[in-house]
Amino acid sequence: MKKHCAAQAGLATYRWFLAAAERGDAYAQFNLGRMYKSGDDGVARDERQAYRWMNKAAQQGLAYAQNQLGVMFYYGRGIEADDDMALYWFRCAARQGEASGQQNLGQMYRQGRGVAPNDEIAHAWFCRAADQGLASAQTLLGVAYAEGRGVLRSYAMARAWYRKAALQNDAHAQLRLGLMYKHGRGVARDEAQAVAWFRQAAGQDVAVAQRLVGVAYAEGLGVKADPQRAVAWLLRAAEQDDVDAQFNLALVLSHGKGVERDEDVALVWYRRAAEAGHALAQYKLGGMYARGRGVERDDRLALEWYRLAAEQGTAGAQFNLALMYANGLGVERDQAQALHWYRKAAEQGHPLARYNLGMAGQQD
């Protein structure tokens, strides 16, 4: 019953906006465009119609519509993507003081889309939007100060702008502010403050923040160690395809420290991270196949995973790959390949690789 009433109300709103829009009312045209863009209030989503009405409102000088039209050209929604047109409409909105238009214009200059890259001009537009209280622009301004893009690097200014945005519940600012406390950039290192900000961002489904909260609980950084909570947070991030979270989750499950050891599930997460190119996950997965942990022993697959990790510079994988060549495990014995990979591992300071090279009379 409630859904039926809501649909009727939505249809009535649509008809009112349509009638007003056809009479040339710019605000009605803008709202009608938004309804078509989002598909709300019982109106079928139609990006071409959204573009049509947003364009009419923008042509009448409505700044909100100009910014939205710029977004449509930027992403190619309802109209073919066109950076020049996106830049034009963002500039129209920005010059009227529309904060999102100012931020978007700044992003065009930062990314060099439709215009030559210019961090100084980007910074100027971010400042205008941030001064109006736009949290996402405040975060971008914080990034500019943290990285010294278009302005002298200042961790103090970065922290100030991140804090302004974080207090407005901007998740990316909360994450970045937490990282400043974690690494002691422009502020005394404080793991408790770091995890407090990570937790706020994690609650908004930011995968990196969820992973960092999970690691904090796993290692007792800024909070009391709690393996169960660690697994819960790492799982949330891992399910969002955060490969570092997938690796850390597999690590916790394979060790079983404070939680039930589950090598079958650990294998699943090691594999997902390894297939995404995570070098340490490839190394660990190679080790599981080499030892038959959670899976039937398979020297050939162990060799393949060790090789992938070794090629990314993982010293342990380089050493193990050398051992497999030296002993003919999963591959024909090849002393030249064994020496090659021992040398690679030894160059990174791997003690057993150096010892084996010395035994073979190959040490530099």
Side-chain angles (χ1 to χ4, degrees):
M1 184 67 178
K2 288 183 179 178
K3 288 183 178 180
H4 177 70
C5 291
Q8 284 188 325
L11 184 59
T13 301
Y14 165 77
R15 287 172 175 166
W16 190 93
F17 279 139
L18 179 60
E22 288 176 339
R23 291 195 301 269
D25 185 288
Y27 288 96
Q29 292 167 345
F30 169 69
N31 282 299
L32 190 60
R34 288 186 64 182
M35 292 180 80
Y36 276 119
K37 184 179 179 182
S38 61
D40 289 340
D41 297 321
V43 177
R45 185 174 178 177
D46 187 330
E47 290 187 337
R48 291 184 67 83
Q49 283 292 325
Y51 165 77
R52 176 189 173 212
W53 290 108
M54 205 64 74
N55 184 53
K56 286 179 180 291
Q59 295 288 351
Q60 292 198 67
L62 190 63
Y64 300 115
Q66 291 170 341
N67 177 59
Q68 287 295 317
L69 192 60
V71 171
M72 298 181 86
F73 275 111
Y74 183 92
Y75 289 109
R77 293 174 180 165
I79 188 69
E80 186 176 348
D82 187 326
D83 284 348
D84 291 334
M85 291 301 295
L87 182 75
Y88 171 78
W89 286 112
F90 287 148
R91 182 172 281 119
C92 287
R95 285 174 173 170
Q96 292 197 68
E98 208 280 321
S100 293
Q102 292 170 339
Q103 174 185 297
N104 289 334
L105 183 57
Q107 286 282 51
M108 297 295 280
Y109 276 103
R110 170 168 283 187
Q111 297 166 9
R113 290 187 59 168
V115 67
N118 191 314
D119 284 332
E120 288 78 13
I121 295 177
H123 178 263
W125 285 111
F126 292 153
C127 281
R128 293 188 187 191
D131 285 341
Q132 292 194 65
L134 186 63
S136 53
Q138 292 170 343
T139 301
L140 288 168
L141 200 53
V143 172
Y145 278 110
E147 298 178 358
R149 297 187 63 175
V151 67
L152 288 175
R153 175 174 285 173
S154 170
Y155 288 130
M157 289 296 291
R159 182 166 62 94
W161 283 110
Y162 286 152
R163 186 173 182 81
K164 282 178 179 288
L167 291 172
Q168 291 194 70
N169 212 31
D170 185 280
H172 296 291
Q174 292 165 345
L175 170 62
R176 288 179 177 274
L177 187 56
L179 288 170
M180 294 194 80
Y181 279 107
K182 182 172 181 64
H183 299 296
R185 291 176 183 156
V187 66
R189 186 174 177 179
D190 188 329
E191 293 282 4
Q193 277 288 319
V195 76
W197 287 112
F198 292 152
R199 192 183 286 113
Q200 290 199 44
Q204 297 189 66
D205 283 334
V206 176
V208 174
Q210 292 171 338
R211 183 231 307 159
L212 290 168
V213 173
V215 171
Y217 277 116
E219 299 180 5
L221 299 172
V223 290
K224 184 178 179 180
D226 188 330
Q228 297 291 342
R229 287 187 177 181
V231 168
W233 281 111
L234 289 171
L235 180 60
R236 289 180 66 176
E239 287 174 341
Q240 291 196 67
D241 294 326
D242 183 295
V243 292
D244 287 323
Q246 292 169 347
F247 171 73
N248 279 286
L249 178 60
L251 203 62
V252 171
L253 292 172
S254 64
H255 289 172
K257 185 178 179 181
V259 294
E260 185 178 353
R261 187 173 182 175
D262 192 332
E263 291 190 331
D264 292 337
V265 177
L267 180 74
V268 170
W269 290 111
Y270 275 141
R271 189 188 306 280
R272 282 185 61 172
E275 288 174 348
H278 194 288
L280 289 177
Q282 293 168 343
Y283 171 48
K284 290 289 187 180
L285 189 57
M288 295 189 81
Y289 277 110
R291 298 175 182 84
R293 289 180 55 188
V295 68
E296 186 176 345
R297 178 172 173 169
D298 189 323
D299 288 337
R300 184 185 59 80
L301 284 175
L303 183 86
E304 289 181 10
W305 287 113
Y306 280 149
R307 186 192 306 281
L308 288 170
E311 288 172 348
Q312 293 197 67
T314 304
Q318 292 168 341
F319 175 74
N320 287 350
L321 186 59
L323 282 178
M324 297 192 80
Y325 274 113
N327 294 289
L329 298 172
V331 67
E332 287 188 19
R333 184 173 293 176
D334 188 328
Q335 190 65 15
Q337 280 292 312
L339 289 173
H340 169 77
W341 288 110
Y342 279 142
R343 194 172 291 113
K344 288 283 189 184
E347 287 169 356
Q348 297 194 68
H350 195 288
L352 291 178
R354 286 180 169 178
Y355 175 79
N356 285 4
L357 273 179
M359 291 294 289
Q362 295 290 321
Q363 200 161 28
D364 293 334

